């Protein structure tokens, strides 16, 4: 079955360390997205990519970085510059036709202490 | 810019009660509208969508109609079940905004037996 795989499900890091969250999709979608979700809040867009080797900042890109070297993969690095990194991170993909919905992975819960 | 406003929660209902979750939007173009559902510890799943005015999206007993005149996309279900307990997100995507999705803050629904 096609889908999006995020790993790991839970991640713990010490403050000051960079950490990379994995996101892989086999849906053949061109577009991929990273969102951050905090308790009781909606989703905020971190980065998105509509084609391989190209990506754009979303609304809260500071302290994060991404790469898109392959169509299937869109890893997110949470750097030590991110002031409040503890959150639930969701990866999504879609095709770029109008009206296409997002397909989400099951998320990675990152805790930084 | 685009925005989505959802009815504030949480919402608590008894089984078999009627559900309405209000959603209104602002958009510069002609957006597609979506409802997503999120169960605890998981990513979001598409519940239903509508891509043009007067379209009705429906799935699993849930319905929503794209009302351009009132810029609304209210979610309804005639008889909720305990298994419908989840967080519901209204969202839009707009090709004039690079196809990015904008989400409401989510409404938590709890259905009691």
């Amino acid at each position: 079955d096609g889908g999006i795989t995020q790993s790991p499900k839970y991640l713990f890091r010490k403050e000051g360390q960079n950490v990379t969250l994995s996101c892989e999709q086999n849906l053949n979608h061109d577009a991929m997205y990273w969102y951050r979700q905090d308790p009781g809040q909606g989703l905020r867009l971190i980065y998105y990519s509509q084609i391989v080797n190209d990506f754009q900042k979303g609304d809260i890109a500071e302290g994060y970085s991404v790469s898109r070297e392959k169509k299937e993969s869109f890893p997110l690095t949470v750097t030590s510059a991110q002031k409040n990194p503890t959150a639930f991170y969701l990866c999504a993909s879609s095709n770029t036709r109008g009206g296409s919905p997002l397909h989400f992975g099951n998320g990675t819960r990152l805790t930084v202490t | 810019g685009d925005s989505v406003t959802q009815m504030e929660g949480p919402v608590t209902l008894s089984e078999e009660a009627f559900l309405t979750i209000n959603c209104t939007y602002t958009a510069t173009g002609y957006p597609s509208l979506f409802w997503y559902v999120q169960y605890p510890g998981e990513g979001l799943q598409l519940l239903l969508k509508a891509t043009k005015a007067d379209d009705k999206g429906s799935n699993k007993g849930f319905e929503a109609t794209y009302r351009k005149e009132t810029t609304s996309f209210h979610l309804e279900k005639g008889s909720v079940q305990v298994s419908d307990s989840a967080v519901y997100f209204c969202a839009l995507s707009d090709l004039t905004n690079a196809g990015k999705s904008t989400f409401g803050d989510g409404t938590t629904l709890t259905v009691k037996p």
Side-chain angles (χ1 to χ4, degrees), chain B residues 33-98:
Chain B
L33 302 175
F34 306 87
W35 277 100
Y36 292 89
V37 59
Q38 184 180 33
Y39 298 101
E42 297 184 5
L44 280 68
Q45 305 171 24
L46 177 68
L47 181 59
L48 53 84
K49 72 172 190 177
T51 57
K52 61 183 187 297
D54 300 325
D55 268 2
K56 177 187 279 189
S58 61
N59 186 26
K60 299 180 182 178
F62 291 90
E63 293 183 340
T65 301
Y66 190 143
R67 302 283 187 204
K68 191 176 178 187
E69 63 276 12
T70 55
T71 61
S72 65
F73 193 54
H74 305 321
L75 182 69
E76 296 182 336
K77 186 175 185 183
S79 175
V80 294
Q81 305 301 312
V82 172
S83 58
D84 293 327
S85 299
V87 182
Y88 293 82
F89 291 91
C90 185
L92 67 83
S93 72
D94 188 347
L95 284 178
T96 64
N97 191 20

Side-chain angles (χ1 to χ4, degrees), chain A residues 11 13-17 19 21 36-38 63-64 78-89 108-113:
Chain A
L11 193 52
R13 279 294 182 271
K14 295 290 188 186
E15 204 171 302
Q17 294 178 334
V19 60
L21 282 59
R36 171 181 172 138
Q37 186 177 26
D38 293 288
Y64 299 98
V78 184
T79 75
S80 56
Q82 167 49 233
K83 290 183 170 45
N84 189 16
T86 294
F88 189 50
Y89 291 88
T108 292
R109 187 166 299 280
L110 173 64
T111 302
V112 177
T113 57

Side-chain angles (χ1 to χ4, degrees), chain A residues 9 33 35 37 40-43 45 48 50 88 90 96-102 104-107, chain B residues 32 34 36 38 41-46 49 51 89 93 95 97-101 103-106:
Chain A
K9 189 167 178 65
Y33 308 82
Y35 289 91
Q37 186 177 26
Q41 296 188 30
L43 278 65
L45 182 64
Y48 65 102
Q50 294 184 304
F88 189 50
L90 286 163
T96 50
R97 288 195 305 272
S100 297
L102 294 173
F104 284 86
N106 276 333
Chain B
S32 296
F34 306 87
Y36 292 89
Q38 184 180 33
E42 297 184 5
L44 280 68
Q45 305 171 24
L46 177 68
K49 72 172 190 177
T51 57
F89 291 91
S93 72
L95 284 178
N97 191 20
K100 292 185 292 181
S101 293
F103 288 84
D105 286 342

